[in-house]
Structure formats: structure tokens, C-alpha cells
Amino acid sequence: MSEPGDGQARLNKIVKQIAGVMVTEVCSIYLKRQDGSLELFATEGLNPAAVHATRMKRGEGLVGRCAELNITVNEPEASSNPAFSYRPETGEEIYHSLLAVPIQRSGQVLGVLVVQNRAQKEYSDEDVEVLQTTAMFVAEHLVSGAVAGAGAAVELGKSLSALIQGEPISEGIALGHVVLHEPRIVVTKLMAEEPAEELKRLDAAIIALRASLDEMFGHEHLAAAGEHRDVLEAYRMFAHDKGWERRLREAVEGGLTAEAAVERVQNSTRARMLRQNDAYWRERQRDLDDLSDRLLRILAGRVTSADEPSKLPPDAILVGRTMGPAELLDYDRKRLRGLVVEDGSGQSHVAIVAKALGIAAVGQAGGIVERVSAGDAAIVDAMTGEVHLRPSSDVISAYADKVRFLARRQRQYRALKDVPAMTLDGERIELHMNAGLLVDMPHLKESGADGVGLFRTELLFMLSSTLPKLERQVESYRAIVARAGDKPVIFRTLDIGGDKVLHYLRQPKEENPAMGWRAIRMGLDRPALLRTQVRALLRGAGGHELRIMIPMVSMAHEMDAVRALVDKERAIVAAKGYETPRRIAIGAMIEVPCLLFELDSLMKKVDFVSVGSNDLMQFMFAADRTNARVGSRYDALSPAPLKALKALVKAAKKHDVPLTLCGEMAGRPIEALALIALGFRSLSMAPASIGPVKTMILSLHAGRAAKLLDELLKKGTRNIRAQLDAFAKAEGIEV
Ligand code: PEP
Ligand code: MG
């Protein structure tokens, strides 16, 4: 241990040497993290890819028990122990015997040292002693701070301010104090003395579990319809699953305590589910973990945090490695300001529930759990994805101002929702919103949008575990049309391929997916998928107006093929006796630059056009929109793209074709100002941008802006953005 080298290299060497000396096939070191979970830090024998990836919750598995109860575990056949937690990523299934000892110092457990062998054997007293002694040395090594992320090194870092960059998953800003989410109950007793009694306990706990979910999900905050309801209903179905109940009962009948049975069933289900390696199953697995933990808490007689609101500070920022949707609901909503998790994407179930509750949330905040202590001050900026830990007073006051400002702005925006977006010189600008899920639809009313200018249908497909069947699609589209009421919705047909991969469709791996086999290219080459979607849209919008928009059109004549396909499907739907839409409008997205040189021909073939500026700009500048190095290098407010957009406005006017723009730039006030100056009278944006853009419009004189932009373009001014900023300032326009 005194040899030079960094901490990780030394740990790697230690496990290798121990395995050699003790003649074991595996030797691993797990270290404890702030929340009590254990992370695999080094291994000889297990899959190296599992290092820093495999984590056990507090008390989970044999390793977790070793740490939590501070005991030595000596198991000839580890997998038959009810507490065993199967982790397929480690490749440990071929090893039978396991010996685990705590790595401790001054009575504090820092981690676990484990050896494993293929042979089924009980380790000798001598083996145990050797391993325990080695663990003492490892403890010394850790306390010296040699291993980053472990022991003393963590303690030191925890007194300083820190900034962690994650991804916003539910918008907002929250200031408050950290509460560490500790879901786990440690199961100490495995075998039951009275199986009949145990069965009664289990039954009672399941009944209590179901009742508590009914009560929780019936909460007023969640009453509004939306996608979160679907998530919670699916969760509730898990709790009522007969198969799950049967497996639990069988485990108890086999002699386990109710708690051990819950763990056993959780483990075996996980083993099955983890083989399905995709986001959908990960979410389902998380639901099931959440449910099992909840049942364990009920069995342990431990009330949930919701029953003990006083334990939460009034400004709680919840921090955890991971969280299920119902776990979040355990906390008192009134005291909860923010949420930070180490995993979790914008589409995760917990994100959907956080959005429904209006809690600012950041996901992908790697390593945060070990860098915070309960009670630390923290700021969650779920606009940028930043989490400030133990911020300085300057940062706190800057954010406090920002929160007050945002709240004031929000009130202003709400007050504007029914005010038409009209410029000072009387130009009415249509403001539509972009959406992609049923859960977005209530924003239509809240934001006062004129309609849905872009409904990205691929999100429904991406959230599903299998290709959504016709009937399911019909149902979804019908629900969306119904929620929109008398406001129009533009459904964009599937834009998959590229980076939006549907795992259940076999798609070839491409070198350059953004310019690859995506969207309408795929739709025309493999029409079955597009036909089903069009058929579902026609039925879903039966009796209403249907607007269909085609992404990534590259040649005008592609729209002929689309129209022929829609006509054919319409005839089929009618022949089958379903009600068809009262009017069908088919539009093209302008995302591929060459289409700009075929506008006369295109305009004759479409009922409307919409600029997908995200893609159009990336292709015009040949700058990948997902590559941070080049993505923001070129400004859309430059002469070339603005001239292109101007030509488009002219062509649309000439052919009397409605024109809108639905890329991100529509939602940024200064860009929206430029678009209006170019002649755009319809824009579509994220619901949250409608307030700011409308505020800008209400103080804008469109004619004066158009004149200025015209001059700037004629002069070939490079820095148009700065000039428009100055114009806005001089005219008192809020941008
Ligand atoms: C666009 O490209 O501007 C657009 C709206 O489509 P997406 O962002 O879904 O590619
Ligand atoms: Mg696009």
C-alpha cells in the first residue's frame, strides 16, 4: 500500500494480490457512499465494466447486510441466501461461495471486502481471519484519503461550495436545504418461526400498501388528468398484480419472513427484467423497487415521511440516487421545493410526476449523493440543470432575486393568457405551442396558445415498449384532439431514425444519422408504419379537422407520394364505416435547405408549411445541432439564413399558403422579433415561451422592426442580433 500510484491503481493492485494470496477467483472492494449505498470500487475476477457501475442500496444483498449489520458473511452457496441480490452486469453467477467482511475503522464501516469462488465451500476460520486483517489495512489506506470518492476525501470536500451540472427534468428554480432520500429498510431476520403468522402479516401489509396508494394517488395535486395519471395507474396495477402476490406468499410459505420474501421476489424479478436492457424496463424496474421498499416499510411499521411532515424542513431539496414516482409522493408536497437525482431523464416517471406537481427537478447529477450532507443549503436551477451545493451568500442572493423575478413574471404571463398577441401596429401574431404527450395538453389552456403547432408523435412511440398498435394510436390521437377542443392541432408524422431510436424496430446503425434514413424517408420506403399512423390519425380525428405535417421533406414531389398515401388511407377508413375528418390539411416541414430552391413547386402541393429551424439551421450551416462545439457557433440571426427565411415568407404569400416556424428560435423573444420583422405571422414554441414572446409582441411595432431588418439585410450587417437588441432597448420592448 505504500507503493506509489493513484488511489484507484492501488485498489486494483490490492484486490489482485488478495485474490492471489487467498487463492480465490474473485476479490472485490465495495465502498460506502454518503447515502449508505455501496459502490463497487475495484475487482479482480468480476466484470471490470461493473466497477463504479454496480451499486447496492443501503442494506441490499449479502454485501449490504455485511456493511449494515457489521457482520462477516460466509456463504457456501450465496445465491440461495434470500438476501442475495443478483447483479447480472458483474458476471458473478458462476461463483457459488462468498466471504464478505466489513472494512471498518473506529467502529465505522467504510465498505466491504469480498472474495468469491466457483466451488461451493465454506471458508475456513483462517480465511476469515486473513480477510479481516487485510480489511484493516484497506481501511487505513482509505482514511489516508488516497482514494478519491471514498472515506476522508469525501469528508474534506463536503465543507466546500460545489457546482454539479445535471440535466433539467422539471423546470423551475428552488432554494432550500438538502434532505437525503433513504428508502431502504434493512432486513435482519430472514427465517420465520411461524409461517402461518407470517402469512397474516404479509396479507395485512399488502392490504395496507394498496390502501395507502389509493389515498396517495387520490391527492388533489394529482387530480388533474395527464400523463402522470397513466404512470400512477400502471404503478397501482403492479401493486394489485396477482402474480406478484402469489410469489410473495409462496416465499413466505417456504419459510421466509415477510420481509425476506419481499427481497427475494424483488431480486428474482429484477434478474428477469434486467435482461431487457432498455429505458422502458428500467422505469418499470424502478416502479417495482419503489413498491417493494414501500411494502418493507409497512412491514417494519415505519411510517412514511408524508405521515411525519415535521421531519422535513419547510424548504426541502430532496437528493437521491434514484427515485420512483410514488416515493416522491411520500413527501409532503408543501415542504418540497426541489428534487435532484443521479439518474433520471426528462421522460422518467419521477420527472413526469415532478412536472405535474410543479417541483423543480434536475436529473443526471452524477456523484451528488456523496457530496452532500443532510441539512446542506442547496439551489436547484432546473432551467440550466445546475445544482449549487453550500452556495456562497452572493450566489444565494442572486438566485433569490431570480426566483422573485420569475414569480413576478409568471404572474404577468398568467394575466396575459387571454390577451391576443397583437403588435402595437395591429398585426395579430398566432402563437401556438409544441407538444408531444397527452400530459402537455393542459398547457394549451394555461398558456393561452392558439393551438398546437407541432405535436411530435414520436414521443408516444419512444415511451412504449412495443410498436403501438393501430387501436392504441387511435385512442391516443383521439384523446389529444378531444383535449384540444376547438383549437387546431398539427400532428407531425413519425420523425424517427437518426438519434431517435425505437428499440423494437430494427434500424441499421448509421455513420451520420441526422442525415440518414429518418422521418419521411423511412416512411416512404417502409410505408406500413406510416400507413398505420395515418390511418390512426384519420380515425382519431374523425369528425374534426386533421392537420398532418411531414418532417424532413427534401424534394417537393415527396409530398405527392404522401398525399396519395393519405388519400388511400382515407378511402379505407371510410369504407370500413369509420367517421373521417371533416377536412384534411397536409403540410411540409422546411428543414432541408434544397427545398428552399423548389418553393414554387412545393407550395402548389401543400396546404401549409412550417419551418423546422432546428434542423434547417444545422443543415444550412453544416453544424451539428447536438455538438456543443459547433452547435452554437453560427447565429441564426445572420444575413444568410434570414434572407432564406425572407424568400420563404415571400413564396408562401405568393401562393397564399399558411406559414409558421416551430423550431426553438420561435420561443426566444429576440429571434421571434426578427421573424415577425421578416413577415412571419405564426410561431410555435414550448408552452413556457408563450408568455415571454407575447410580452415582447405587445410592445413591438412590427412595421418599424421590418424596416430596420430590411436595411440591415441590405447592408449585409454582420451583427444583426446586437442591432436588434439595441432596437428593442431603444423602443422599450421587453426581450
Ligand atoms: C426542428 O427541426 O426545428 C423541429 C421542430 O423538429 P425537431 O426539433 O423535432 O427535429
Ligand atoms: Mg426537425
Side-chain angles (χ1 to χ4, degrees), residues 636-670:
L637 299 189
S638 304
L642 292 179
K643 280 183 190 162
L645 291 176
K646 197 165 174 194
L648 182 58
V649 170
K650 202 169 147 201
K653 230 182 228 155
K654 178 173 153 199
H655 293 272
D656 201 17
V657 169
L659 163 71
T660 166
L661 183 144
C662 61
E664 294 306 308
M665 67 184 288
R668 291 191 282 262
I670 198 76

Side-chain angles (χ1 to χ4, degrees), residues 454 456 458 492 495 500 518 589 591 611-616 625 662-664:
L454 165 66
R456 293 179 162 107
E458 60 273 9
R492 174 172 78 181
D495 185 2
K500 296 175 194 153
R518 61 178 276 207
M589 283 190 84
E591 302 187 283
V611 183
S613 54
N614 305 338
D615 276 315
L616 185 62
R625 69 193 250 194
C662 61
E664 294 306 308

Side-chain angles (χ1 to χ4, degrees), residues 14 264 519 552 681:
I14 291 170
R264 159 110 292 184
M552 284 295 285
R681 291 294 174 265

Side-chain angles (χ1 to χ4, degrees), residues 691-735:
V693 170
K694 194 187 275 185
T695 306
M696 180 279 291
I697 290 171
L698 293 175
S699 52
L700 170 72
H701 189 289
R704 281 208 289 274
K707 189 160 164 282
L708 169 69
L709 189 58
D710 237 16
E711 282 163 15
L712 295 174
L713 286 178
K714 276 200 191 106
K715 276 196 272 180
T717 310
R718 253 188 72 202
N719 205 347
I720 292 181
R721 179 180 296 274
Q723 300 279 342
L724 290 181
D725 273 334
F727 168 77
K729 201 160 175 207
E731 299 252 323
I733 302 170
E734 253 191 77
V735 288

Side-chain angles (χ1 to χ4, degrees), residues 545-699:
E545 178 180 18
L546 172 64
R547 301 185 188 197
I548 301 179
M549 181 159 80
I550 310 299
M552 284 295 285
V553 177
S554 312
M555 313 271 271
H557 71 77
E558 285 169 335
M559 292 307 292
D560 293 332
V562 169
R563 198 173 284 276
L565 187 148
V566 174
D567 285 346
K568 202 162 139 195
E569 288 307 315
R570 196 193 154 279
I572 294 174
V573 168
K576 288 195 169 170
Y578 295 108
E579 189 180 16
T580 53
R582 87 185 136 63
R583 189 179 107 84
I584 301 172
I586 306 176
M589 283 190 84
I590 306 215
E591 302 187 283
V592 180
C594 72
L595 207 49
L596 292 168
F597 299 89
E598 216 189 349
L599 288 176
D600 277 329
S601 164
L602 176 76
M603 296 294 174
K604 289 180 194 142
K605 298 177 190 295
V606 295
D607 301 311
F608 63 92
V609 288
S610 182
V611 183
S613 54
N614 305 338
D615 276 315
L616 185 62
M617 293 300 157
Q618 84 162 337
F619 295 130
M620 280 218 269
F621 285 117
D624 182 350
R625 69 193 250 194
T626 64
N627 178 343
R629 274 230 179 104
V630 295
S632 54
R633 185 183 177 92
Y634 302 105
D635 192 350
L637 299 189
S638 304
L642 292 179
K643 280 183 190 162
L645 291 176
K646 197 165 174 194
L648 182 58
V649 170
K650 202 169 147 201
K653 230 182 228 155
K654 178 173 153 199
H655 293 272
D656 201 17
V657 169
L659 163 71
T660 166
L661 183 144
C662 61
E664 294 306 308
M665 67 184 288
R668 291 191 282 262
I670 198 76
E671 268 108 323
L673 187 158
L675 293 168
I676 293 167
L678 286 175
F680 279 85
R681 291 294 174 265
S682 170
L683 301 170
S684 190
M685 61 200 72
S689 300
I690 290 188
V693 170
K694 194 187 275 185
T695 306
M696 180 279 291
I697 290 171
L698 293 175
S699 52

Side-chain angles (χ1 to χ4, degrees), residues 153-197:
V154 180
E155 291 305 320
L156 183 69
K158 271 171 35 189
S159 56
L160 307 171
S161 291
L163 173 65
I164 291 183
Q165 184 67 49
E167 297 281 332
I169 58 175
S170 167
E171 253 186 27
I173 291 180
L175 282 82
H177 291 88
V178 169
V179 172
L180 278 168
H181 175 60
E182 285 182 49
R184 193 80 191 168
I185 294 283
V186 179
V187 179
T188 47
K189 193 161 169 240
L190 300 177
M191 305 312 285
E193 277 132 31
E194 301 257 4
E197 279 305 307

